[in-house]
Amino acid sequence: MALIVQKYGGTSVGSVERIQAVAGRVYKTVQAGNSLVVVVSAMGKTTDGLVKLANEISPNPNRREMDMLLSTGEQVTIALLSMALQELGQPAISMTGAQVGIVTEAEHSRARILHIDTTRLSRHINEGKVVVVAGFQGTSNAGEMEITTLGRGGSDTSAVAIAAALGANFCEIYTDVPGILTTDPRLVAEAQLMDDITCDEMLELASLGAKVLHPRAVEIARNYGVPLVVRSSWTDAPGTWVTSAKPQGRSLINLEIARPVDAVEFDTDQAKVALLRVPDKPGVAARLFGEISRQKVDVDLIIQSIHEGNSNDIAFTVTTPILKRAEAVAAAIAPALRNPSNPKSDEAEVMLEHNIAKVSIAGAGMIGRPGVAAKMFATLAEAGVNIQMISTSEVKVSCVVNAAECDRAVTALRTAFEIEGDEGVGGDKLILSSPSSPHHPPVRGVALDLNQARLAIRQLPDRPGMAAKLFGLLAQHNISVDMIIQSQRCRVIDGVPRRDIAFTVSRIDGENAKKMLTQVAAELGWGEVVLDSAIAKVSIVGAGMVGQPGVAAKMFEALAQHEINIQMIATSEIKISCVVAQEQGVKALQVIHTAFELAGSEKVVVPA
């Protein structure tokens, strides 16, 4: 007999008929000999309707009262589903987040789970009842029993957290698509169903598909080894399993706010090649990395930063033994990228740097926590380590530093993030928590984020502590940062070397971030703060792309063939992201999905 946690989203319980269908599925699962906890969302568009009501009363409603209001949506569903089960002769009891023992931070509208007291829950399970739980909500532990909500995707988070706390055999997420797809079926009807995907890949694809799984839920599954499967509410198809490595024996206390960083990694066998002042037009990255791929040069980090005017810098790191080949490719391509009307210009200069090291922090817990990257940068600054390159992903922040400073950087980061490590190791490499299967293609899926804005700060002084100051300020204002790109071009102004730095944030935070940073820029000696809200981020993800030289080139070539200009590039070991113009975002996703032959033979129809 298995203990199973099932979660049903708003579409799955959107009407009386659908609630009865869910009750039938639950009843069938219990009759097969299983114990069941069912977590549900509010019916259909209930939450949207409640938000609309609040906005009719107040343009800026109080967050506490919003939690009080929004938490009522799930209470309707749990009562109706419990009644439906009882009508089938199945003992059932409905419970709110507070009643089920979900204790959260005292942070309205975006609380994280501290712990779950499973005493009452376990008692009802042992009595043979199906416990129907209101997702998305809990109660603060501040003595005043404040109702809190978990934010977007909160029901997913509730379900996986309950599964972890109970030690359930697995957690099933029922939704309106048949599982995890290679991309959003609303944008590509031929998106293909995956049988399985690793937690690492799923975390990187935080915005994949029809938003079927929130990254906070995946983070908990990864940290506690909860087997997770995403299935359709409308069929009995097997769905997609999200696989994780053996759990690390974490405490269930401070469940969602435990250590955000699992490891400090470093690689001293690296060198950097940068092309400065390459033309800002479609096809440049495709040409460069296409030739790099043909020469079998395996690239690690790739960044493309932004500048005033019509040129960019592209930099990439390679392992030291193949630096000569990488240099030869870059030097051969550079003349072809120069302005033909001004062949003596200083465009497309090639810059090499030996004796560098890549230092990274990795962990599923850094998603949505603004202070983690800032803490890394502050730690390096305090250790006197200057950052030459920055590349970020959902689960990793990497910095390129001087090789002579690597040991100092690693020691400082391990101390700051309380990571135990073998100081004698010569070069930690990426160890995926759940490696990709060898039969999988290098790229598993393509994601599109149309909800980002880009901020650029011109002429930031190039010295230790600047990145720490910048991202520390954003963290203090609870603004999460996604991509971070530091330019390679350095200009000396009034005797001070300066670089530009660009980063992306959620579009709703863009104006506030610009206003705040503009206020401090003058006193800190920074240049202009520029905001662009008309961008899109398109990403490819796959654990199998490690050690595959041609993957980036294929992505860039697909964009170039359709005259889609790449504004920024950032990579991690299993992800490549490009910023493009917002109006080209959907087209970019579609052409990349086609280029990697990810389409299936059947069209996926998403129910209304």
Side-chain angles (χ1 to χ4, degrees):
M1 186 173 84
L3 173 57
I4 303 169
V5 176
Q6 292 183 342
K7 178 262 176 177
Y8 294 90
T11 310
S12 304
V13 291
S15 65
V16 167
E17 294 75 22
R18 288 182 177 182
I19 288 173
Q20 289 171 328
V22 167
R25 188 187 288 271
V26 170
Y27 181 71
K28 185 177 173 184
T29 307
V30 174
Q31 290 301 298
N34 302 297
S35 297
L36 221 59
V37 175
V38 181
V39 177
V40 292
S41 301
M43 293 174 65
K45 301 289 186 182
T46 298
T47 302
D48 292 342
L50 292 171
V51 170
K52 187 176 178 216
L53 280 173
N55 289 332
E56 287 175 7
I57 297 288
S58 167
N60 187 26
N62 178 278
R63 280 169 52 196
R64 178 193 183 275
E65 302 309 331
M66 283 300 290
D67 276 3
M68 191 69 84
L69 176 66
L70 297 183
S71 65
T72 64
E74 281 73 19
Q75 283 184 241
V76 173
T77 318
I78 58 174
L80 292 174
L81 181 54
S82 293
M83 292 175 195
L85 286 165
Q86 290 161 9
E87 284 298 304
L88 294 174
Q90 172 59 48
I93 183 170
S94 62
M95 298 177 76
T96 65
Q99 290 172 322
V100 89
I102 296 177
V103 178
T104 75
E105 303 170 300
E107 183 72 50
H108 289 293
S109 80
R110 53 171 178 258
R112 289 176 295 180
I113 297 171
L114 299 178
H115 66 272
I116 302 176
D117 183 350
T118 59
T119 307
R120 187 176 178 188
L121 189 55
S122 297
R123 186 176 79 244
H124 289 306
I125 293 169
N126 293 335
E127 291 169 354
K129 296 175 186 171
V130 170
V131 184
V132 184
V133 179
F136 175 66
Q137 62 181 248
T139 182
S140 71
N141 198 22
E144 297 184 4
M145 298 291 286
E146 288 288 302
I147 291 174
T148 54
T149 63
L150 308 182
R152 191 174 69 83
S155 293
D156 289 351
T157 306
S158 301
V160 182
I162 288 170
L166 287 172
N169 294 86
F170 54 91
C171 179
E172 298 176 320
I173 305 289
Y174 284 92
T175 184
D176 53 5
V177 289
I180 308 297
L181 300 158
T182 51
T183 196
D184 187 341
R186 295 173 178 87
L187 301 178
V188 180
E190 298 82 10
Q192 192 172 350
L193 180 68
M194 301 184 216
D195 294 331
D196 59 84
I197 186 171
T198 69
C199 273
D200 290 294
E201 290 169 323
M202 194 66 233
L203 282 165
E204 294 285 20
L205 285 169
S207 55
L208 173 67
K211 309 290 188 291
V212 290
L213 204 52
H214 196 275
R216 279 171 65 183
V218 184
E219 176 191 346
I220 297 168
R222 180 185 189 268
N223 289 341
Y224 293 94
V226 177
L228 193 58
V229 60
V230 179
R231 291 186 171 139
S232 169
S233 299
W234 325 110
T235 71
D236 292 322
T240 305
W241 284 91
V242 182
T243 59
S244 54
K246 190 176 178 181
Q248 304 167 14
R250 285 174 177 254
S251 167
L252 287 162
I253 303 299
N254 291 332
L255 192 146
E256 269 204 285
I257 64 168
R259 196 174 65 201
V261 173
D262 296 325
V264 175
E265 302 165 359
F266 64 96
D267 185 353
T268 54
D269 189 23
Q270 294 236 328
K272 180 175 72 176
V273 181
L275 269 77
L276 308 186
R277 295 177 289 276
V278 298
D280 182 21
K281 63 183 182 184
V284 171
R287 194 166 182 178
L288 172 61
F289 290 98
E291 188 59 34
I292 284 172
S293 170
R294 284 187 284 277
Q295 298 298 326
K296 304 292 188 221
V297 174
D298 190 18
V299 172
D300 184 2
L301 295 182
I302 303 170
I303 67 164
Q304 177 180 308
S305 46
I306 63 161
H307 283 284
E308 304 104 323
N310 57 355
S311 69
N312 284 319
D313 297 342
I314 299 179
F316 57 93
T317 62
V318 295
T319 57
T320 307
I322 60 172
L323 176 61
K324 292 283 187 199
R325 266 192 295 158
E327 177 190 358
V329 172
I333 290 240
L337 298 177
R338 290 183 182 131
N339 188 343
S341 63
N342 185 14
K344 294 184 178 180
S345 73
D346 60 350
E347 291 178 355
E349 174 191 352
V350 179
M351 183 174 74
L352 298 181
E353 189 148 355
H354 302 260
N355 303 317
I356 62 164
K358 182 179 73 171
V359 180
S360 309
I361 55 171
M366 61 177 67
I367 293 175
R369 300 188 195 179
V372 177
K375 184 175 180 179
M376 179 187 193
F377 303 150
T379 300
L380 294 176
E382 287 165 13
V385 176
N386 198 35
I387 300 168
Q388 299 179 23
M389 286 172 75
I390 300 169
S391 189
T392 58
S393 76
E394 269 75 359
V395 294
K396 179 173 283 194
V397 182
S398 297
C399 295
V400 169
V401 301
N402 191 301
E405 298 175 336
C406 180
D407 287 348
R408 191 161 79 246
V410 169
T411 300
L413 290 170
R414 283 178 173 160
T415 300
F417 289 103
E418 300 176 12
I419 305 293
E420 294 179 8
D422 179 1
E423 299 305 326
V425 176
D428 290 355
K429 299 286 185 182
L430 171 79
I431 300 174
L432 297 173
S433 71
S434 38
S436 181
S437 168
H439 67 266
H440 288 154
V443 174
R444 306 298 314 285
V446 187
L448 176 66
D449 190 343
L450 290 167
N451 296 307
Q452 294 210 337
R454 179 181 60 220
L455 284 143
I457 301 179
R458 308 295 189 190
Q459 301 167 18
L460 208 68
D462 183 28
R463 57 173 178 255
M466 281 295 105
K469 174 70 76 174
L470 167 58
F471 295 104
L473 283 167
L474 292 164
Q476 287 170 25
H477 288 77
N478 208 33
I479 296 171
S480 291
V481 175
D482 184 10
M483 292 172 69
I484 302 172
I485 307 288
Q486 182 171 268
S487 72
Q488 293 307 292
R489 206 180 308 179
C490 190
R491 286 172 295 178
V492 178
I493 300 174
D494 297 329
V496 179
R498 296 173 180 271
R499 295 183 193 272
D500 296 345
I501 196 162
F503 54 93
T504 60
V505 298
S506 173
R507 187 170 296 152
I508 60 171
D509 289 328
E511 288 290 349
N512 286 340
K514 181 187 177 183
K515 184 178 178 182
M516 182 268 292
L517 293 173
T518 300
Q519 288 172 347
V520 300
E523 63 184 83
L524 294 173
W526 300 349
E528 182 186 10
V529 180
V530 183
L531 173 67
D532 183 357
S533 296
I535 63 163
K537 183 183 79 168
V538 63
S539 308
I540 57 172
V541 170
M545 69 170 69
V546 178
Q548 295 275 350
V551 175
K554 196 171 190 176
M555 180 184 190
F556 304 152
E557 179 60 31
L559 295 173
Q561 284 177 358
H562 291 83
E563 293 295 311
I564 297 172
N565 195 34
I566 300 170
Q567 300 178 16
M568 291 170 71
I569 301 170
T571 65
S572 72
E573 279 83 355
I574 65 172
K575 182 175 183 179
I576 302 171
S577 295
C578 295
V579 167
V580 300
Q582 184 182 24
E583 69 269 15
Q584 294 183 304
V586 172
K587 182 69 173 176
L589 176 138
Q590 292 168 339
V591 301
I592 292 167
H593 193 269
T594 300
F596 286 99
E597 301 176 358
L598 295 176
S601 56
E602 297 179 12
K603 291 192 175 184
V604 176
V605 178
V606 181

